[in-house]
Amino acid sequence: MEKTIFKINQMDCPSEETLIRMKLEEFSSIKNLSFDIPNRQLTIYHQGHLNSIEKAILDLKLGGHQLNTEVINEMTFDESSNQRKLLWWVLIINFTFFLIEMSTGFISNSMGLVADSLDMLADAFVYGISLLAVGGTMAKKKRIAVISGYFQITLAIIGFIEVLRRFLLNEQIPDFTLMILISLFALMANGLCLYLLQKSKNKEEAHMKASMIFTSNDIIINTGVIVAGILVNWLESNKPDLIIGSIVFLLVVQGALRILKLGK
């Protein structure tokens, strides 16, 4: 058996982990995957086929490269019995905050919150792809990935059009208080999701430092919406909200394109 460690530069939240798992599922030579999201490292225990595995990781365009590989003794791996349950929990958390942020985004007139809600929906889709297709065929997973990818892109395009409309017209200034409050709750929800998923892989990581959580791209987005809310109040303008909304819509499209690659 071989142990190979990869550095995945853009693996900054659990949804990237799920994408990688789906991509590598076809390799029967892989015996176990160990993810270290805070340090952006993936350890693969496998029996040969390293070149094909490396190519699959590079195809995801997450900035992956091999650090080292070594031959080790045979090992046995025990899958966590509560992994499916925890995946359901993070899916529910993400989808709930999609509904909360989408509704409050319209109420507060904030495109930043609307865009962040789509980012939450994108993560929920990724978890859902794995859960809905458990025990199913790879073809089934690919169909689900294609549907969810195109759906996300459609929503993001609609969002871009609305941002452009609000930029050209003299729209009402968003409610910065609601923007900041909801984004703080979303930030805590993302931190909880990352905590749960890390806990499911290794009990020793259940008490990981808070700084590890802040490696999550989702939390950076939440922070961006909070800053935009502060700037909306300070400048008395809706432009900071529209700018952060545009950035998040771009990130949603980027994530959707990654999911679509899995459908090929």
Side-chain angles (χ1 to χ4, degrees):
M1 179 175 287
E2 294 174 279
K3 172 184 174 182
T4 303
I5 300 176
F6 287 89
K7 181 76 171 181
I8 314 291
N9 295 322
Q10 296 179 41
M11 186 178 69
D12 46 23
C13 73
S15 60
E16 274 86 33
E17 173 184 337
T18 305
L19 289 175
I20 294 171
R21 285 185 180 277
M22 287 181 61
K23 184 69 173 179
L24 299 181
E25 189 179 55
E26 61 187 84
F27 292 96
S28 59
S29 59
I30 294 178
K31 303 306 176 184
N32 191 64
L33 300 174
S34 177
F35 290 83
D36 182 353
I37 293 177
N39 294 311
R40 295 177 169 84
Q41 288 189 0
L42 164 63
T43 302
I44 302 178
Y45 298 88
H46 60 101
Q47 294 174 328
H49 301 93
L50 179 57
N51 290 337
S52 298
I53 294 171
E54 184 173 21
K55 183 179 182 302
I57 292 175
L58 294 177
D59 284 345
L60 284 173
K61 299 189 184 303
L62 293 174
H65 62 274
Q66 183 186 153
L67 293 179
N68 62 70
T69 186
E70 61 178 305
V71 177
I72 61 173
N73 294 327
E74 284 286 336
M75 297 176 63
T76 57
F77 303 97
D78 295 322
E79 293 294 328
S80 176
S81 60
N82 67 343
Q83 184 175 351
R84 183 184 176 93
K85 179 180 177 181
L86 287 173
L87 281 173
W88 269 113
W89 271 112
V90 294
L91 186 153
I92 291 170
I93 291 171
N94 276 275
F95 190 75
T96 299
F97 268 87
F98 154 68
L99 295 176
I100 292 173
E101 288 192 301
M102 179 63 76
S103 58
T104 55
F106 284 116
I107 293 171
S108 65
N109 203 40
S110 169
M111 290 306 295
L113 283 179
V114 171
D116 195 25
S117 75
L118 293 187
D119 183 63
M120 287 286 199
L121 180 63
D123 285 347
F125 270 138
V126 172
Y127 301 130
I129 288 170
S130 293
L131 286 168
L132 290 175
V134 168
T137 63
M138 179 58 68
K140 182 179 179 181
K141 287 190 177 185
K142 288 183 176 182
R143 285 196 300 271
I144 297 172
V146 168
I147 293 171
S148 62
Y150 281 124
F151 183 63
Q152 288 176 48
I153 290 175
T154 300
L155 292 178
I157 291 174
I158 294 173
F160 277 123
I161 293 173
E162 180 63 15
V163 166
L164 182 61
R165 187 188 71 81
R166 295 189 183 200
F167 187 83
L168 296 175
L169 300 177
N170 187 20
E171 287 287 324
Q172 178 184 350
I173 296 176
D175 183 341
F176 73 94
T177 302
L178 196 54
M179 284 179 65
I180 294 172
L181 181 63
I182 296 300
S183 292
L184 283 172
F185 282 120
L187 187 149
M188 289 187 286
N190 277 317
L192 176 61
C193 286
L194 185 56
Y195 172 86
L196 289 173
L197 287 166
Q198 288 292 334
K199 181 180 179 180
S200 72
K201 303 300 184 298
N202 189 334
K203 291 182 179 180
E204 294 179 0
E205 294 183 2
H207 304 290
M208 60 184 178
K209 297 178 181 179
S211 60
M212 292 182 178
I213 296 177
F214 279 85
T215 60
S216 169
N217 196 42
D218 293 332
I219 293 179
I220 294 174
I221 292 173
N222 297 143
T223 305
V225 177
I226 293 171
V227 172
I230 295 172
L231 291 175
V232 163
N233 180 48
W234 182 38
L235 301 175
E236 296 185 351
S237 168
N238 68 345
K239 298 301 185 292
D241 176 62
L242 297 180
I243 291 171
I244 190 64
S246 298
I247 292 172
V248 179
F249 283 135
L250 284 172
L251 292 174
V252 170
V253 170
Q254 184 182 50
L257 291 175
R258 288 175 183 167
I259 292 176
L260 285 174
K261 286 181 69 68
L262 297 175
K264 293 184 177 180

